[in-house]
Each structure stands twice: as structure tokens, then as C-alpha cells.
Amino acid sequence: MIDLLVFYIHTVAIVYAFTKSWQEDGVREGILSVGFVLIIFSIGWAISTLLISYIVPTEGFAKWFNKDTMALTILTVGEGIFYYYYLKKEA
């Protein structure tokens, strides 16, 4: 269930990044923003899974919070901080 929530959050982030870039710079920039989010997500997921596999056993802490869920949660928090500073407007 947590995995599904994380994927929904990323879907909303992709739509937001596309819409914001499309309105400011056009369709090409919107498509590039979607590609950027997808690349950051896929590489970040691989790296966070690798790091978590050294710390946490395969079964994780509970049936609903295994190491994959933990890796996605850590990735989402990190991406949230990154995208907050990347997409915020200059004052």
C-alpha cells in the first residue's frame, strides 16, 4: 500500500513538472521535465535499494514495510527536498 502511494505521489509530481514547464517554456521543456523526473526516480530507486540492502534484511521490519518500501520512502523524501529547491521560484 505504501508503494502505491509513493507511485501516486510521483505521478502527481510528473504532471506538476510537465504543466509548470509547459506553461513557462513550451511543450519541449515539459517533455524534458518528465524525462528528468523519470531518470532521477529510476536512478535514485536503484541507489537507495542498494544502500538499504546493506543495512536492512530482506524481509524488512514488517510485512508491509519491507526493504523495497523503505527504499522508495527514503527516495521520495530525498526527491521531495530536491524538487522543492529545484522548482521553487526565486524571490
Coordinates of all heavy atoms in Angstrom, one line a residue:
M1 N 0.8 -1.2 0.0 CA 0.0 0.0 0.0 C 0.9 1.3 0.0 O 0.5 2.2 -0.7 CB -0.9 0.0 1.2 CG -1.9 1.0 1.3 SD -3.1 0.7 0.0 CE -4.2 2.1 0.2
I2 N 1.9 1.2 0.8 CA 2.8 2.4 0.8 C 3.5 2.6 -0.6 O 3.7 3.7 -1.1 CB 3.9 2.2 1.9 CG1 3.2 2.2 3.3 CG2 4.9 3.3 1.8 CD1 4.1 1.9 4.4
D3 N 3.8 1.5 -1.2 CA 4.4 1.5 -2.6 C 3.5 2.2 -3.6 O 3.9 3.1 -4.3 CB 4.7 0.1 -3.1 CG 5.8 -0.6 -2.3 OD1 6.5 0.1 -1.6 OD2 5.8 -1.8 -2.3
L4 N 2.2 1.9 -3.5 CA 1.3 2.5 -4.4 C 1.1 4.0 -4.1 O 1.1 4.8 -5.1 CB -0.1 1.8 -4.2 CG -1.2 2.3 -5.2 CD1 -0.8 1.9 -6.6 CD2 -2.5 1.6 -4.8
L5 N 1.1 4.4 -2.9 CA 1.1 5.8 -2.5 C 2.3 6.6 -3.0 O 2.2 7.7 -3.6 CB 1.0 6.0 -1.0 CG 1.0 7.4 -0.5 CD1 -0.3 8.1 -0.9 CD2 1.1 7.4 1.1
V6 N 3.5 5.9 -3.0 CA 4.7 6.6 -3.5 C 4.6 6.7 -5.0 O 5.0 7.8 -5.5 CB 5.9 5.7 -3.1 CG1 7.2 6.2 -3.8 CG2 6.2 5.8 -1.6
F7 N 4.1 5.7 -5.7 CA 3.9 5.9 -7.1 C 2.9 6.9 -7.5 O 3.1 7.7 -8.5 CB 3.6 4.5 -7.8 CG 4.8 3.6 -7.9 CD1 4.7 2.4 -7.2 CD2 5.9 3.9 -8.6 CE1 5.8 1.5 -7.2 CE2 7.0 3.1 -8.6 CZ 6.9 1.8 -8.0
Y8 N 1.8 7.1 -6.7 CA 0.9 8.1 -7.0 C 1.5 9.5 -6.7 O 1.2 10.4 -7.5 CB -0.4 8.0 -6.1 CG -1.3 6.9 -6.6 CD1 -2.1 6.2 -5.7 CD2 -1.5 6.7 -7.9 CE1 -3.0 5.2 -6.1 CE2 -2.4 5.7 -8.4 CZ -3.2 5.0 -7.5 OH -4.0 4.1 -7.9
I9 N 2.3 9.6 -5.7 CA 3.0 10.9 -5.5 C 3.9 11.3 -6.6 O 3.9 12.4 -7.1 CB 3.8 10.8 -4.1 CG1 2.8 10.8 -3.0 CG2 4.7 12.0 -4.0 CD1 3.5 10.5 -1.6
H10 N 4.6 10.3 -7.2 CA 5.4 10.5 -8.3 C 4.6 10.9 -9.6 O 5.1 11.7 -10.4 CB 6.4 9.3 -8.6 CG 7.5 9.3 -7.6 ND1 7.5 8.7 -6.4 CD2 8.8 9.9 -7.8 CE1 8.7 8.9 -5.8 NE2 9.5 9.6 -6.6
T11 N 3.5 10.3 -9.7 CA 2.6 10.6 -10.9 C 2.2 12.1 -10.8 O 2.2 12.8 -11.8 CB 1.4 9.7 -10.9 OG1 1.9 8.3 -11.0 CG2 0.5 10.0 -12.1
V12 N 1.8 12.5 -9.6 CA 1.4 13.9 -9.4 C 2.6 14.8 -9.6 O 2.4 15.9 -10.3 CB 0.8 14.1 -8.0 CG1 0.6 15.5 -7.7 CG2 -0.5 13.3 -7.9
A13 N 3.7 14.4 -9.2 CA 4.9 15.3 -9.4 C 5.3 15.4 -10.9 O 5.7 16.4 -11.4 CB 6.1 14.7 -8.6
I14 N 5.1 14.3 -11.6 CA 5.4 14.3 -13.1 C 4.4 15.3 -13.8 O 4.8 16.1 -14.6 CB 5.3 12.9 -13.7 CG1 6.6 12.1 -13.3 CG2 5.2 12.9 -15.2 CD1 6.6 10.7 -13.6
V15 N 3.1 15.2 -13.4 CA 2.1 16.1 -14.0 C 2.4 17.5 -13.7 O 2.3 18.4 -14.5 CB 0.7 15.7 -13.6 CG1 -0.3 16.7 -14.0 CG2 0.3 14.3 -14.1
Y16 N 2.8 17.8 -12.4 CA 3.1 19.1 -12.0 C 4.3 19.7 -12.7 O 4.3 20.8 -13.2 CB 3.4 19.2 -10.5 CG 3.8 20.5 -10.0 CD1 2.9 21.6 -9.8 CD2 5.2 20.8 -9.7 CE1 3.3 22.8 -9.4 CE2 5.6 22.0 -9.2 CZ 4.7 23.0 -9.1 OH 5.1 24.2 -8.7
A17 N 5.4 18.9 -12.8 CA 6.6 19.3 -13.5 C 6.3 19.6 -15.0 O 6.8 20.6 -15.6 CB 7.7 18.3 -13.4
F18 N 5.5 18.7 -15.7 CA 5.2 18.9 -17.1 C 4.3 20.2 -17.2 O 4.6 21.0 -18.1 CB 4.4 17.8 -17.6 CG 3.9 18.0 -19.0 CD1 4.8 17.8 -20.1 CD2 2.6 18.4 -19.3 CE1 4.4 18.0 -21.4 CE2 2.2 18.6 -20.6 CZ 3.1 18.4 -21.6
T19 N 3.3 20.4 -16.4 CA 2.4 21.5 -16.5 C 3.2 22.8 -16.3 O 3.0 23.8 -17.0 CB 1.3 21.4 -15.5 OG1 0.6 20.2 -15.8 CG2 0.3 22.5 -15.7
K20 N 4.0 22.9 -15.2 CA 4.8 24.1 -14.9 C 5.7 24.4 -16.0 O 5.8 25.6 -16.5 CB 5.5 23.9 -13.6 CG 6.2 25.2 -13.2 CD 6.9 25.0 -11.9 CE 7.6 26.3 -11.7 NZ 8.1 26.6 -10.4
S21 N 6.5 23.5 -16.5 CA 7.4 23.7 -17.6 C 6.7 24.1 -18.9 O 7.2 24.9 -19.7 CB 8.4 22.5 -17.8 OG 9.1 22.3 -16.6
W22 N 5.6 23.4 -19.2 CA 4.9 23.7 -20.4 C 4.3 25.1 -20.4 O 4.4 25.8 -21.4 CB 3.8 22.6 -20.5 CG 2.8 22.9 -21.6 CD1 3.1 23.1 -22.9 CD2 1.4 23.1 -21.5 NE1 1.9 23.4 -23.6 CE2 0.8 23.3 -22.7 CE3 0.5 23.0 -20.4 CZ2 -0.5 23.5 -23.0 CZ3 -0.8 23.2 -20.6 CH2 -1.3 23.4 -21.9
Q23 N 3.8 25.6 -19.3 CA 3.3 26.9 -19.3 C 4.4 28.0 -19.4 O 4.1 29.0 -20.0 CB 2.5 27.1 -18.0 CG 1.2 26.4 -17.9 CD 0.5 26.5 -16.6 OE1 1.0 27.0 -15.6 NE2 -0.8 26.1 -16.6
E24 N 5.5 27.7 -18.8 CA 6.6 28.7 -18.8 C 7.4 28.7 -20.1 O 7.8 29.7 -20.6 CB 7.5 28.5 -17.6 CG 6.8 28.8 -16.3 CD 7.7 28.5 -15.1 OE1 8.8 28.0 -15.3 OE2 7.3 28.8 -14.0
D25 N 7.7 27.5 -20.6 CA 8.7 27.4 -21.7 C 8.2 26.6 -23.0 O 8.9 26.6 -23.9 CB 10.0 26.8 -21.2 CG 10.6 27.6 -20.2 OD1 10.6 28.8 -20.3 OD2 11.2 27.0 -19.2
G26 N 7.1 26.0 -22.9 CA 6.6 25.2 -24.0 C 6.6 23.7 -23.8 O 7.0 23.2 -22.8
V27 N 6.1 23.0 -24.9 CA 5.9 21.6 -24.8 C 7.2 20.8 -24.7 O 7.3 19.9 -23.9 CB 5.1 21.1 -26.0 CG1 5.0 19.6 -26.0 CG2 3.7 21.7 -26.0
R28 N 8.2 21.3 -25.4 CA 9.5 20.6 -25.3 C 10.1 20.6 -23.9 O 10.6 19.6 -23.5 CB 10.5 21.3 -26.2 CG 10.4 20.9 -27.7 CD 11.6 21.4 -28.4 NE 11.4 21.1 -29.8 CZ 12.0 21.6 -30.8 NH1 12.9 22.6 -30.6 NH2 11.8 21.3 -32.0
E29 N 10.0 21.7 -23.2 CA 10.5 21.8 -21.9 C 9.7 20.9 -20.9 O 10.2 20.3 -20.0 CB 10.6 23.2 -21.4 CG 11.6 24.1 -22.1 CD 13.0 23.6 -21.8 OE1 13.3 23.2 -20.6 OE2 13.8 23.7 -22.7
G30 N 8.4 20.8 -21.2 CA 7.6 19.9 -20.4 C 8.0 18.5 -20.5 O 8.1 17.7 -19.5
I31 N 8.2 18.1 -21.8 CA 8.7 16.7 -22.0 C 10.0 16.4 -21.4 O 10.3 15.4 -20.8 CB 8.7 16.4 -23.5 CG1 7.2 16.4 -24.0 CG2 9.3 15.0 -23.8 CD1 7.1 16.3 -25.5
L32 N 10.9 17.4 -21.5 CA 12.2 17.3 -20.8 C 12.1 17.2 -19.3 O 12.9 16.4 -18.7 CB 13.1 18.4 -21.2 CG 13.7 18.4 -22.6 CD1 14.5 19.7 -22.9 CD2 14.7 17.2 -22.8
S33 N 11.2 17.9 -18.7 CA 11.0 17.8 -17.3 C 10.5 16.4 -16.9 O 10.9 15.9 -15.9 CB 10.0 18.9 -16.8 OG 10.5 20.1 -17.0
V34 N 9.6 15.9 -17.7 CA 9.1 14.5 -17.4 C 10.3 13.5 -17.5 O 10.4 12.6 -16.6 CB 8.0 14.1 -18.4 CG1 7.6 12.6 -18.3 CG2 6.7 14.9 -18.1
G35 N 11.1 13.6 -18.5 CA 12.2 12.7 -18.6 C 13.2 12.9 -17.5 O 13.7 11.9 -17.0
F36 N 13.4 14.1 -17.0 CA 14.3 14.4 -15.9 C 13.8 13.7 -14.6 O 14.5 13.1 -13.9 CB 14.4 15.9 -15.7 CG 15.3 16.3 -14.5 CD1 16.6 16.1 -14.6 CD2 14.7 16.9 -13.4 CE1 17.5 16.4 -13.5 CE2 15.5 17.2 -12.3 CZ 16.9 17.0 -12.4
V37 N 12.5 13.9 -14.4 CA 11.9 13.2 -13.2 C 12.0 11.7 -13.3 O 12.3 11.0 -12.3 CB 10.4 13.7 -13.0 CG1 9.7 12.9 -11.9 CG2 10.3 15.2 -12.7
L38 N 11.7 11.1 -14.4 CA 11.8 9.7 -14.6 C 13.2 9.2 -14.4 O 13.5 8.1 -13.8 CB 11.3 9.3 -16.0 CG 9.8 9.4 -16.1 CD1 9.4 9.1 -17.6 CD2 9.0 8.6 -15.1
I39 N 14.2 9.9 -14.9 CA 15.6 9.5 -14.7 C 16.0 9.6 -13.3 O 16.7 8.7 -12.7 CB 16.5 10.3 -15.7 CG1 16.3 9.9 -17.1 CG2 18.0 10.2 -15.2 CD1 17.1 10.8 -18.1
I40 N 15.7 10.7 -12.6 CA 16.0 10.8 -11.2 C 15.4 9.7 -10.4 O 16.0 9.1 -9.5 CB 15.6 12.2 -10.7 CG1 16.4 13.3 -11.4 CG2 15.7 12.3 -9.2 CD1 17.9 13.3 -11.0
F41 N 14.1 9.4 -10.7 CA 13.4 8.4 -10.0 C 14.0 7.0 -10.2 O 14.3 6.3 -9.2 CB 11.9 8.3 -10.4 CG 11.1 7.2 -9.8 CD1 10.8 7.3 -8.4 CD2 10.8 6.1 -10.5 CE1 10.1 6.2 -7.8 CE2 10.1 5.1 -9.9 CZ 9.7 5.1 -8.6
S42 N 14.3 6.6 -11.4 CA 14.8 5.3 -11.7 C 16.3 5.1 -11.1 O 16.6 4.1 -10.5 CB 14.8 5.0 -13.1 OG 15.6 5.9 -13.9
I43 N 17.1 6.1 -11.3 CA 18.5 6.0 -10.7 C 18.4 6.1 -9.2 O 19.1 5.3 -8.5 CB 19.4 7.1 -11.3 CG1 19.6 6.8 -12.8 CG2 20.7 7.2 -10.6 CD1 20.3 7.9 -13.6
G44 N 17.6 7.0 -8.7 CA 17.5 7.1 -7.2 C 17.0 5.8 -6.6 O 17.4 5.4 -5.5
W45 N 16.0 5.2 -7.2 CA 15.5 3.9 -6.7 C 16.5 2.8 -6.6 O 16.7 2.1 -5.7 CB 14.3 3.5 -7.5 CG 13.5 2.4 -6.9 CD1 13.6 1.8 -5.7 CD2 12.3 1.8 -7.5 NE1 12.6 0.9 -5.5 CE2 11.9 0.8 -6.6 CE3 11.7 1.9 -8.7 CZ2 10.8 0.0 -6.9 CZ3 10.6 1.1 -9.0 CH2 10.2 0.2 -8.1
A46 N 17.3 2.7 -7.7 CA 18.4 1.7 -7.7 C 19.4 2.0 -6.6 O 19.9 1.1 -5.9 CB 19.1 1.7 -9.1
I47 N 19.8 3.2 -6.5 CA 20.8 3.6 -5.5 C 20.3 3.4 -4.1 O 21.0 2.8 -3.2 CB 21.3 5.0 -5.7 CG1 22.2 5.1 -7.0 CG2 22.2 5.5 -4.5 CD1 22.6 6.5 -7.4
S48 N 19.1 3.8 -3.8 CA 18.5 3.7 -2.4 C 18.3 2.2 -2.1 O 18.5 1.8 -1.0 CB 17.2 4.5 -2.3 OG 16.2 4.0 -3.1
T49 N 17.9 1.4 -3.1 CA 17.8 -0.1 -2.8 C 19.1 -0.7 -2.5 O 19.2 -1.5 -1.6 CB 17.1 -0.8 -4.1 OG1 15.8 -0.2 -4.3 CG2 16.9 -2.2 -3.8
L50 N 20.1 -0.3 -3.2 CA 21.5 -0.8 -3.0 C 21.9 -0.4 -1.6 O 22.4 -1.3 -0.8 CB 22.5 -0.3 -4.0 CG 23.9 -0.7 -3.8 CD1 24.1 -2.1 -4.2 CD2 24.8 0.2 -4.7
L51 N 21.7 0.8 -1.2 CA 22.2 1.2 0.2 C 21.3 0.6 1.3 O 21.9 0.2 2.3 CB 22.1 2.7 0.3 CG 23.0 3.5 -0.6 CD1 22.8 5.0 -0.5 CD2 24.5 3.2 -0.3
I52 N 20.0 0.4 1.1 CA 19.2 -0.2 2.1 C 19.5 -1.7 2.2 O 19.4 -2.2 3.3 CB 17.7 0.0 1.7 CG1 17.3 1.5 2.0 CG2 16.8 -0.9 2.5 CD1 17.4 1.9 3.4
S53 N 19.9 -2.3 1.1 CA 20.1 -3.8 1.2 C 21.3 -4.1 2.1 O 21.4 -5.2 2.6 CB 20.4 -4.4 -0.2 OG 21.6 -3.9 -0.7
Y54 N 22.2 -3.2 2.3 CA 23.3 -3.4 3.2 C 23.0 -3.2 4.7 O 23.6 -3.7 5.6 CB 24.5 -2.4 2.9 CG 25.2 -2.7 1.6 CD1 25.3 -1.8 0.6 CD2 25.7 -4.0 1.4 CE1 26.0 -2.1 -0.6 CE2 26.4 -4.3 0.2 CZ 26.5 -3.3 -0.8 OH 27.1 -3.6 -1.9
I55 N 21.9 -2.4 4.9 CA 21.5 -2.1 6.3 C 20.4 -3.0 6.8 O 20.4 -3.4 8.0 CB 21.1 -0.6 6.4 CG1 22.3 0.3 5.9 CG2 20.6 -0.2 7.8 CD1 21.9 1.7 5.7
V56 N 19.4 -3.2 6.0 CA 18.2 -3.9 6.4 C 18.1 -5.3 5.8 O 18.4 -5.5 4.7 CB 16.9 -3.1 5.9 CG1 15.6 -3.7 6.3 CG2 17.0 -1.7 6.5
P57 N 17.6 -6.3 6.6 CA 17.4 -7.6 6.0 C 16.3 -7.7 4.9 O 15.5 -6.7 4.8 CB 17.1 -8.5 7.2 CG 16.6 -7.6 8.2 CD 17.3 -6.3 8.0
T58 N 16.3 -8.7 4.2 CA 15.4 -8.8 3.0 C 13.9 -8.6 3.4 O 13.1 -8.0 2.8 CB 15.5 -10.1 2.3 OG1 16.9 -10.2 1.9 CG2 14.7 -10.2 1.1
E59 N 13.5 -9.2 4.6 CA 12.1 -9.2 5.0 C 11.7 -7.8 5.6 O 10.6 -7.5 5.7 CB 11.8 -10.3 6.0 CG 12.6 -10.2 7.3 CD 13.9 -10.9 7.2 OE1 14.3 -11.5 6.2 OE2 14.7 -10.8 8.2
G60 N 12.7 -7.0 5.9 CA 12.4 -5.7 6.4 C 12.0 -5.7 7.9 O 12.4 -6.6 8.6
F61 N 11.2 -4.7 8.3 CA 10.8 -4.6 9.6 C 9.4 -5.2 9.8 O 9.0 -5.6 10.9 CB 10.8 -3.2 10.1 CG 12.2 -2.6 10.2 CD1 12.5 -1.4 9.5 CD2 13.2 -3.2 10.9 CE1 13.8 -0.9 9.5 CE2 14.4 -2.7 10.9 CZ 14.7 -1.6 10.3
A62 N 8.6 -5.3 8.8 CA 7.2 -5.8 8.9 C 6.8 -6.3 7.5 O 7.5 -6.0 6.5 CB 6.2 -4.8 9.4
K63 N 5.7 -7.0 7.4 CA 5.2 -7.5 6.1 C 4.9 -6.3 5.2 O 5.1 -6.4 4.0 CB 4.0 -8.3 6.3 CG 3.4 -8.9 5.1 CD 2.2 -9.8 5.4 CE 1.7 -10.5 4.1 NZ 0.5 -11.3 4.4
W64 N 4.4 -5.2 5.7 CA 4.0 -4.1 4.9 C 5.1 -3.0 4.8 O 5.0 -2.0 4.0 CB 2.8 -3.4 5.5 CG 2.9 -3.1 6.9 CD1 2.6 -4.0 8.0 CD2 3.4 -1.9 7.5 NE1 2.9 -3.4 9.2 CE2 3.4 -2.1 8.9 CE3 3.9 -0.7 7.0 CZ2 3.8 -1.2 9.8 CZ3 4.3 0.2 7.9 CH2 4.3 0.0 9.3
F65 N 6.3 -3.2 5.5 CA 7.4 -2.3 5.4 C 8.7 -3.0 5.2 O 9.6 -3.1 6.0 CB 7.4 -1.4 6.7 CG 8.2 -0.1 6.5 CD1 7.8 0.8 5.6 CD2 9.4 0.1 7.2 CE1 8.5 2.0 5.5 CE2 10.1 1.3 7.1 CZ 9.6 2.2 6.2
N66 N 8.8 -3.6 4.0 CA 10.0 -4.4 3.6 C 11.1 -3.4 3.1 O 10.9 -2.2 3.1 CB 9.7 -5.5 2.6 CG 9.0 -5.0 1.4 OD1 9.0 -3.8 1.1 ND2 8.5 -5.9 0.6
K67 N 12.2 -4.0 2.6 CA 13.3 -3.1 2.2 C 13.0 -2.3 1.0 O 13.5 -1.2 0.8 CB 14.6 -4.0 2.0 CG 14.6 -4.8 0.8 CD 16.0 -5.4 0.7 CE 16.1 -6.1 -0.6 NZ 17.4 -6.6 -0.9
D68 N 12.1 -2.9 0.0 CA 11.8 -2.1 -1.1 C 10.9 -0.9 -0.8 O 11.1 0.2 -1.3 CB 11.0 -3.0 -2.1 CG 11.9 -4.0 -2.8 OD1 13.2 -3.7 -2.9 OD2 11.4 -5.1 -3.1
T69 N 10.0 -1.1 0.1 CA 9.1 0.0 0.6 C 10.0 1.1 1.3 O 9.8 2.3 1.1 CB 8.0 -0.5 1.5 OG1 7.3 -1.5 0.8 CG2 7.1 0.6 1.9
M70 N 10.9 0.6 2.1 CA 11.8 1.5 2.8 C 12.7 2.3 1.8 O 12.9 3.5 2.0 CB 12.7 0.7 3.8 CG 13.4 1.6 4.8 SD 14.3 0.6 6.0 CE 13.1 -0.6 6.5
A71 N 13.2 1.7 0.8 CA 14.0 2.4 -0.2 C 13.2 3.4 -1.0 O 13.6 4.5 -1.2 CB 14.6 1.3 -1.2
L72 N 11.9 3.1 -1.3 CA 11.1 4.0 -2.0 C 10.7 5.2 -1.1 O 10.6 6.3 -1.6 CB 9.8 3.3 -2.5 CG 9.9 2.5 -3.8 CD1 8.6 1.7 -4.0 CD2 10.2 3.4 -4.9
T73 N 10.5 4.9 0.2 CA 10.2 6.0 1.1 C 11.3 7.0 1.3 O 11.1 8.2 1.2 CB 9.8 5.4 2.5 OG1 8.7 4.5 2.3 CG2 9.4 6.5 3.4
I74 N 12.5 6.4 1.4 CA 13.7 7.3 1.5 C 13.9 8.1 0.2 O 14.3 9.3 0.3 CB 14.9 6.4 1.9 CG1 14.8 6.0 3.3 CG2 16.2 7.2 1.7 CD1 15.8 4.9 3.8
L75 N 13.7 7.4 -0.9 CA 13.9 8.1 -2.2 C 12.9 9.2 -2.3 O 13.2 10.3 -2.7 CB 13.7 7.1 -3.3 CG 13.5 7.7 -4.7 CD1 14.9 8.3 -5.1 CD2 13.1 6.6 -5.7
T76 N 11.6 9.0 -1.9 CA 10.6 10.0 -2.0 C 10.9 11.3 -1.2 O 10.7 12.4 -1.6 CB 9.2 9.5 -1.7 OG1 9.0 8.3 -2.5 CG2 8.1 10.5 -1.9
V77 N 11.4 11.0 0.0 CA 11.8 12.1 0.9 C 12.9 12.9 0.3 O 12.9 14.2 0.3 CB 12.1 11.6 2.3 CG1 12.7 12.7 3.2 CG2 10.9 11.0 3.0
G78 N 13.9 12.2 -0.2 CA 15.1 12.9 -0.8 C 14.7 13.7 -2.0 O 15.1 14.8 -2.3
E79 N 13.8 13.1 -2.9 CA 13.3 13.8 -4.1 C 12.5 15.0 -3.7 O 12.5 16.0 -4.4 CB 12.5 12.8 -4.9 CG 13.3 11.9 -5.8 CD 12.4 11.0 -6.7 OE1 11.3 10.8 -6.3 OE2 12.9 10.6 -7.7
G80 N 11.7 14.8 -2.7 CA 10.8 16.0 -2.3 C 11.7 17.2 -1.9 O 11.4 18.3 -2.3
I81 N 12.7 16.9 -1.2 CA 13.6 18.0 -0.8 C 14.3 18.6 -2.0 O 14.4 19.8 -2.2 CB 14.7 17.5 0.2 CG1 14.0 17.2 1.5 CG2 15.8 18.6 0.5 CD1 14.8 16.4 2.5
F82 N 14.8 17.7 -2.9 CA 15.5 18.2 -4.1 C 14.6 19.0 -5.0 O 14.9 20.1 -5.5 CB 16.0 16.9 -4.9 CG 16.6 17.3 -6.2 CD1 17.8 17.9 -6.3 CD2 15.9 17.0 -7.4 CE1 18.3 18.2 -7.6 CE2 16.4 17.3 -8.6 CZ 17.7 17.9 -8.7
Y83 N 13.3 18.5 -5.3 CA 12.4 19.1 -6.2 C 11.9 20.4 -5.6 O 11.6 21.4 -6.3 CB 11.3 18.2 -6.6 CG 11.7 17.1 -7.5 CD1 11.2 15.8 -7.3 CD2 12.5 17.3 -8.5 CE1 11.6 14.8 -8.1 CE2 12.9 16.3 -9.4 CZ 12.4 15.0 -9.2 OH 12.8 14.0 -10.0
Y84 N 11.8 20.5 -4.3 CA 11.4 21.7 -3.6 C 12.3 22.9 -4.0 O 11.9 24.0 -4.3 CB 11.3 21.6 -2.1 CG 11.0 22.8 -1.4 CD1 9.7 23.4 -1.4 CD2 12.0 23.5 -0.7 CE1 9.4 24.6 -0.7 CE2 11.7 24.7 -0.1 CZ 10.4 25.2 -0.1 OH 10.2 26.4 0.6
Y85 N 13.6 22.6 -3.8 CA 14.6 23.6 -4.2 C 14.8 23.8 -5.7 O 15.1 24.9 -6.1 CB 16.0 23.3 -3.5 CG 15.9 23.5 -2.0 CD1 16.0 22.4 -1.1 CD2 15.8 24.8 -1.5 CE1 15.9 22.6 0.2 CE2 15.7 25.0 -0.1 CZ 15.8 23.9 0.7 OH 15.7 24.1 2.1
Y86 N 14.6 22.8 -6.5 CA 14.8 22.9 -7.9 C 13.6 23.6 -8.6 O 13.9 24.4 -9.5 CB 14.9 21.5 -8.5 CG 15.0 21.4 -10.0 CD1 16.2 21.8 -10.6 CD2 14.0 21.1 -10.8 CE1 16.4 21.7 -11.9 CE2 14.1 21.0 -12.2 CZ 15.3 21.4 -12.7 OH 15.5 21.3 -14.1
L87 N 12.4 23.5 -8.1 CA 11.3 24.1 -8.8 C 10.8 25.3 -8.1 O 9.9 26.0 -8.7 CB 10.1 23.0 -8.8 CG 10.3 21.8 -9.6 CD1 9.2 20.8 -9.5 CD2 10.5 22.2 -11.1
K88 N 11.3 25.7 -6.9 CA 10.7 26.9 -6.3 C 11.2 28.2 -7.1 O 12.3 28.2 -7.6 CB 11.1 27.0 -4.8 CG 12.5 27.5 -4.5 CD 12.6 27.6 -3.0 CE 13.9 28.3 -2.7 NZ 14.1 28.5 -1.3
K89 N 10.4 29.2 -7.0 CA 10.7 30.4 -7.7 C 11.7 31.2 -6.9 O 11.7 31.2 -5.7 CB 9.5 31.2 -8.0 CG 8.6 30.7 -9.1 CD 8.0 31.9 -9.7 CE 7.2 31.4 -10.9 NZ 7.4 32.2 -12.0
E90 N 12.5 32.0 -7.6 CA 13.4 32.9 -6.9 C 12.6 34.1 -6.4 O 11.7 34.6 -7.1 CB 14.5 33.4 -7.9 CG 15.4 32.3 -8.4 CD 16.3 31.8 -7.3 OE1 16.7 32.6 -6.4 OE2 16.6 30.6 -7.3
A91 N 12.9 34.5 -5.2 CA 12.1 35.6 -4.6 C 12.6 36.9 -5.1 O 13.7 37.2 -5.5 CB 12.2 35.6 -3.1

